[in-house]
Amino acid sequence: MKILLLYFEPFGSDSCNSGAELASLLSDECGGAELIKRQLPVSFRRAFAQAAGHIDCERPDMIVCLGQAGGRASINPERIAVNMAKSSTPDNDGYVAAGERLVAGAPDAYFTNVAVEEMAAELRAAGYPCFVSNSAGTFVCNSLFYNLRHHYPTIPVAFVHIPLTPAQAAARTSTTPSMASTVAAGALTLALTRLAQD
Amino acid sequence: MKILLLYFEPFGSDSCNSGAELASLLSDECGGAELIKRQLPVSFRRAFAQAAGHIDCERPDMIVCLGQAGGRASINPERIAVNMAKSSTPDNDGYVAAGERLVAGAPDAYFTNVAVEEMAAELRAAGYPCFVSNSAGTFVCNSLFYNLRHHYPTIPVAFVHIPLTPAQAAARTSTTPSMASTVAAGALTLALTRLAQD
Amino acid sequence: MKILLLYFEPFGSDSCNSGAELASLLSDECGGAELIKRQLPVSFRRAFAQAAGHIDCERPDMIVCLGQAGGRASINPERIAVNMAKSSTPDNDGYVAAGERLVAGAPDAYFTNVAVEEMAAELRAAGYPCFVSNSAGTFVCNSLFYNLRHHYPTIPVAFVHIPLTPAQAAARTSTTPSMASTVAAGALTLALTRLAQD
Amino acid sequence: MKILLLYFEPFGSDSCNSGAELASLLSDECGGAELIKRQLPVSFRRAFAQAAGHIDCERPDMIVCLGQAGGRASINPERIAVNMAKSSTPDNDGYVAAGERLVAGAPDAYFTNVAVEEMAAELRAAGYPCFVSNSAGTFVCNSLFYNLRHHYPTIPVAFVHIPLTPAQAAARTSTTPSMASTVAAGALTLALTRLAQD
């Protein structure tokens, strides 16, 4: 089994991305599955295009995306991707989305086709703070997730939001939550092992 | 140099205490200082009494207390201890404090006599989320801190609040912040090394 | 123009519902539109059924739903309704939803067909804290919203989540946000006036 | 009985101050007490100096201060004032405090000499979200509070932090809590009436 693991470059003024840092800690073989890791730009225009290139080249059995989510305290597998691009801050290309549809004429939203509730429950039972989220937002993370679900409907796609790293939180405020990349990597290893066996 | 490290038993229905878990990861020798670790009960009546016994027996050069702080996202050295006991939940002896003074006739509050702002800045520079807090609350943590500052005014006393562990947060909600004990232990090792050199 | 305003009975142990309290402050005529107010049970099984009865009886030009959202700090028009019922607490019938679809074979989600971003921007410009939300959750509020969008696709439907009232927050904690019903009613009057003119 | 009510001018880029807006809604006679209202600058150097001028001129029986507290969700009478000035943002004179003592050689802190727990309980019973806070911070609010307690120890001094107004929150984010000035004024009228009878 082959799993394509997608994550992002640093966003804005950050020098790292918590999803990328997590990815770097994962072994290339995970629970019997081969893990193909690819970094994407934080760009509405280019993220999915590059992802599609990797999919067409690697033909994975499953896709797992890691997104950095400042302000979140736990690992959040996303339930749903929505057909909208809207942002208050520019992406790394300087683009601010005004609320337009990602794919004209396509459905408003797609649920993930991975059993995220079961995954989250299993991770919590193993001591990892992991809870399904009902919104991946309307920024580049959601854009990638929606396009993957729309254009590759038969491939299982999980999108998992990850808190900031402790070092990122240290540069913010006393109430900014974080998660050590080693903890997040332990959780993802367990999740990938489980997914590899489904 | 001898540092007495005080931490607490699990509180209420929890099976662990994040401060105790952190303490178990610290080496008995830290930056050239000898570290004496002692666990205390979550009890208004007994915590300081037991601490006093350890102090009189060990005669430490410095005291560092670790308290678990559910809901906090960062490591929080406390600036001040207040002369009040007030709680909405019972301590592990079943005692609910009604707002009484801890020491009759004593000052309203004592600042810590450790350079916590410098400690926090150094830890942040090293990538640890660490921010000075202006309130240790009015529960058993503050009670221990106040009594130590009042009865041993010449010994440097730092009280450091620690977030929940990831396993504790996993049993709570998606917005409960946590910190890996390994991360907190890395931060405390750095802090203790610095304190040992002062 | 006729607007059907739906809101809920008190939930759980609360003696009031912030949406119902807001509704009671709205005039029956609002910006030239007739406002028909109807209260619904906090019940997965009965809320939409009763709403459908009111719709078939009143034949409104537009539907506005008010839901109470404990923990939210601002007025939140919802962007999207999802085809899922999942709850950790029972509804007022004692029913706990396990993650089942609301309508078998129906789309995963529907966007609102009301211009909520414009509405929110106009309310903010008038001094009301109002921000579009990307998730109405998976409890009875979302269930009503989804069923309305699915079964009455041609009627404009807005679902607006409202913070707790100050009196409700007074019975909770120091960090529980609230909004005076008079403030929320001012905001809704402006929103309804705007919607009546579209 | 004469109560001196102190509040602040707008801070930073805000065009209003929630404490000042509240004060403008209070009647000059409150529960039999005469209410003398005076606005102060958001200045470490000038706030207490001006307050002292008003006290020496008016000779009040009691002082109540209102401070704006962005991020707080409830009315917060403060328990304690601390002998420290430390800020990350400049006051309205452009001064950033580095952590110095407010009064050299003076106690670390003073409790309020007003029965704030009873006041808060009474306000909650009347439906107002009001909870005693354990920290007034280390900015100009705390500076005024500490100086009043230190230099006028026999005059009862209450310092009450007030959330932002809805209009202020509308210019911030969806999670910024606020409170209508009419609600806060109702709470303060009740509190002042109670204080006037003590």
Side-chain angles (χ1 to χ4, degrees):
Chain A
M1 189 189 197
K2 192 188 268 193
I3 298 176
L4 177 63
L5 185 78
L6 300 172
Y7 49 91
F8 289 95
E9 66 185 6
F11 170 59
S13 61
D14 267 316
S15 60
C16 84
N17 180 296
S18 62
E21 193 168 308
L22 189 175
S24 73
L25 297 179
L26 295 177
S27 146
D28 290 340
E29 217 235 57
C30 207
E34 182 190 2
L35 202 60
I36 312 288
K37 305 176 189 176
R38 295 290 181 270
Q39 181 169 300
L40 301 176
V42 181
S43 158
F44 277 109
R45 188 171 54 83
R46 297 180 293 131
F48 172 67
Q50 291 194 14
H54 298 312
I55 294 166
D56 298 345
C57 172
E58 298 288 347
R59 302 189 167 275
D61 302 296
M62 179 177 290
I63 302 168
V64 174
C65 309
L66 303 177
Q68 172 181 306
R72 301 214 196 177
S74 58
I75 298 170
N76 293 157
E78 296 291 345
R79 190 189 303 286
I80 194 164
V82 303
N83 188 3
M84 176 164 293
K86 183 166 175 59
S87 58
S88 48
T89 46
D91 69 9
N92 282 355
D93 291 342
Y95 180 70
V96 178
E100 65 268 19
R101 294 211 157 228
L102 292 165
V103 182
D108 289 352
Y110 290 108
F111 283 132
T112 181
N113 52 353
V114 165
V116 288
E117 287 287 0
E118 289 77 359
M119 180 203 292
E122 186 166 326
L123 265 61
R124 288 196 302 271
Y128 295 109
C130 179
F131 299 85
V132 173
S133 157
N134 286 317
S135 172
T138 56
F139 198 48
V140 178
C141 285
N142 171 74
S143 167
L144 173 66
F145 188 19
Y146 184 89
N147 275 292
L148 290 171
R149 288 290 292 118
H150 180 72
H151 293 289
Y152 298 95
T154 62
I155 305 182
V157 181
F159 194 103
V160 185
H161 266 121
I162 305 292
L164 298 175
T165 67
Q168 291 178 302
R172 287 168 166 85
T173 74
S174 66
T175 58
T176 305
S178 65
M179 183 176 286
S181 295
T182 48
V183 171
L188 259 288
T189 299
L190 182 57
L192 291 168
T193 302
R194 186 188 193 287
L195 291 172
Q197 290 163 350
D198 280 352
Chain B
M1 188 189 199
K2 193 190 268 194
I3 298 177
L4 177 63
L5 185 78
L6 300 172
Y7 48 91
F8 289 96
E9 66 185 6
F11 170 58
S13 61
D14 266 315
S15 59
C16 83
N17 180 297
S18 63
E21 195 167 307
L22 188 174
S24 72
L25 298 178
L26 295 177
S27 144
D28 290 338
E29 218 235 58
C30 206
E34 180 189 3
L35 201 59
I36 312 288
K37 305 176 190 175
R38 295 290 182 269
Q39 181 169 300
L40 300 176
V42 181
S43 159
F44 277 109
R45 189 170 54 81
R46 296 181 292 131
F48 172 67
Q50 291 193 15
H54 297 313
I55 295 165
D56 298 345
C57 172
E58 299 288 346
R59 302 187 167 276
D61 302 296
M62 180 177 290
I63 302 169
V64 175
C65 309
L66 303 177
Q68 171 181 304
R72 301 216 196 175
S74 58
I75 297 170
N76 293 156
E78 297 292 345
R79 190 188 304 286
I80 194 164
V82 302
N83 189 3
M84 177 164 293
K86 184 165 172 60
S87 58
S88 49
T89 47
D91 69 9
N92 282 356
D93 291 341
Y95 180 70
V96 177
E100 64 268 20
R101 291 206 160 233
L102 291 166
V103 182
D108 288 354
Y110 291 108
F111 282 133
T112 181
N113 51 352
V114 166
V116 288
E117 288 287 359
E118 290 76 359
M119 180 203 294
E122 186 165 326
L123 264 61
R124 288 196 302 272
Y128 295 108
C130 180
F131 299 85
V132 173
S133 157
N134 286 316
S135 172
T138 56
F139 197 47
V140 177
C141 286
N142 172 73
S143 166
L144 173 65
F145 189 19
Y146 184 89
N147 275 291
L148 289 171
R149 288 290 293 116
H150 180 72
H151 293 289
Y152 299 94
T154 62
I155 305 181
V157 180
F159 195 104
V160 185
H161 266 120
I162 306 293
L164 298 175
T165 66
Q168 289 178 303
R172 285 168 168 84
T173 74
S174 66
T175 58
T176 305
S178 64
M179 182 175 286
S181 295
T182 48
V183 171
L188 260 286
T189 298
L190 181 56
L192 291 168
T193 301
R194 186 187 194 286
L195 291 172
Q197 290 162 351
D198 279 352
Chain C
M1 190 190 197
K2 192 189 268 193
I3 298 177
L4 178 63
L5 184 78
L6 300 172
Y7 48 91
F8 288 96
E9 66 185 5
F11 170 59
S13 61
D14 267 316
S15 60
C16 84
N17 181 297
S18 62
E21 195 168 306
L22 188 174
S24 72
L25 298 179
L26 296 177
S27 144
D28 291 339
E29 219 235 58
C30 205
E34 180 189 4
L35 201 60
I36 311 288
K37 306 176 188 176
R38 294 291 182 269
Q39 181 169 298
L40 300 176
V42 180
S43 159
F44 276 110
R45 190 170 53 81
R46 296 181 292 132
F48 172 67
Q50 291 193 14
H54 297 312
I55 295 166
D56 298 344
C57 172
E58 299 288 347
R59 303 188 167 275
D61 300 296
M62 179 177 290
I63 301 170
V64 175
C65 309
L66 303 177
Q68 172 180 303
R72 301 217 196 174
S74 58
I75 297 169
N76 293 158
E78 296 292 345
R79 190 189 303 287
I80 195 165
V82 303
N83 189 2
M84 177 165 292
K86 184 165 174 60
S87 59
S88 49
T89 46
D91 69 9
N92 282 355
D93 291 342
Y95 181 69
V96 177
E100 65 266 20
R101 293 207 158 233
L102 292 165
V103 181
D108 288 353
Y110 291 107
F111 283 132
T112 181
N113 51 352
V114 165
V116 288
E117 287 288 359
E118 291 77 0
M119 179 203 292
E122 186 166 326
L123 264 62
R124 287 197 302 272
Y128 294 109
C130 180
F131 299 86
V132 173
S133 158
N134 287 316
S135 172
T138 56
F139 197 48
V140 177
C141 285
N142 171 74
S143 166
L144 173 66
F145 188 20
Y146 184 88
N147 274 291
L148 290 171
R149 288 290 292 118
H150 180 72
H151 293 288
Y152 298 94
T154 61
I155 305 182
V157 180
F159 194 103
V160 185
H161 266 121
I162 305 293
L164 298 175
T165 66
Q168 289 178 303
R172 287 167 167 84
T173 75
S174 66
T175 58
T176 305
S178 64
M179 183 175 285
S181 295
T182 48
V183 171
L188 259 287
T189 298
L190 181 57
L192 291 168
T193 301
R194 185 188 195 286
L195 291 172
Q197 290 162 351
D198 279 351
Chain D
M1 188 189 198
K2 192 189 268 194
I3 299 177
L4 176 63
L5 185 78
L6 301 172
Y7 49 91
F8 289 95
E9 66 185 6
F11 170 60
S13 61
D14 266 316
S15 60
C16 84
N17 180 297
S18 61
E21 193 167 309
L22 189 175
S24 74
L25 298 179
L26 295 178
S27 146
D28 290 339
E29 216 235 59
C30 206
E34 181 189 3
L35 202 60
I36 312 288
K37 306 176 188 176
R38 294 293 181 268
Q39 182 169 299
L40 301 176
V42 180
S43 158
F44 276 109
R45 189 170 53 83
R46 296 181 291 131
F48 172 67
Q50 291 194 14
H54 298 311
I55 295 166
D56 298 344
C57 172
E58 298 287 348
R59 304 188 167 275
D61 302 296
M62 179 178 291
I63 302 169
V64 175
C65 310
L66 303 178
Q68 172 181 304
R72 301 216 196 175
S74 57
I75 297 169
N76 293 157
E78 296 292 345
R79 190 189 305 286
I80 194 163
V82 303
N83 189 2
M84 175 164 293
K86 183 167 174 58
S87 60
S88 48
T89 47
D91 70 9
N92 282 355
D93 291 341
Y95 180 69
V96 177
E100 66 268 19
R101 293 208 159 232
L102 292 165
V103 182
D108 289 352
Y110 290 108
F111 283 133
T112 181
N113 52 353
V114 166
V116 287
E117 287 287 359
E118 290 76 0
M119 180 204 292
E122 186 166 326
L123 264 60
R124 289 197 301 273
Y128 294 109
C130 180
F131 299 86
V132 173
S133 158
N134 287 316
S135 172
T138 56
F139 198 48
V140 177
C141 285
N142 171 74
S143 167
L144 172 66
F145 188 20
Y146 184 88
N147 275 292
L148 290 171
R149 288 289 293 117
H150 180 71
H151 294 288
Y152 298 94
T154 61
I155 305 181
V157 180
F159 194 103
V160 185
H161 266 121
I162 305 293
L164 298 175
T165 67
Q168 289 177 304
R172 287 168 167 84
T173 74
S174 66
T175 58
T176 305
S178 64
M179 183 176 285
S181 295
T182 48
V183 171
L188 259 288
T189 298
L190 181 56
L192 291 169
T193 301
R194 185 186 194 288
L195 291 172
Q197 290 163 351
D198 280 352

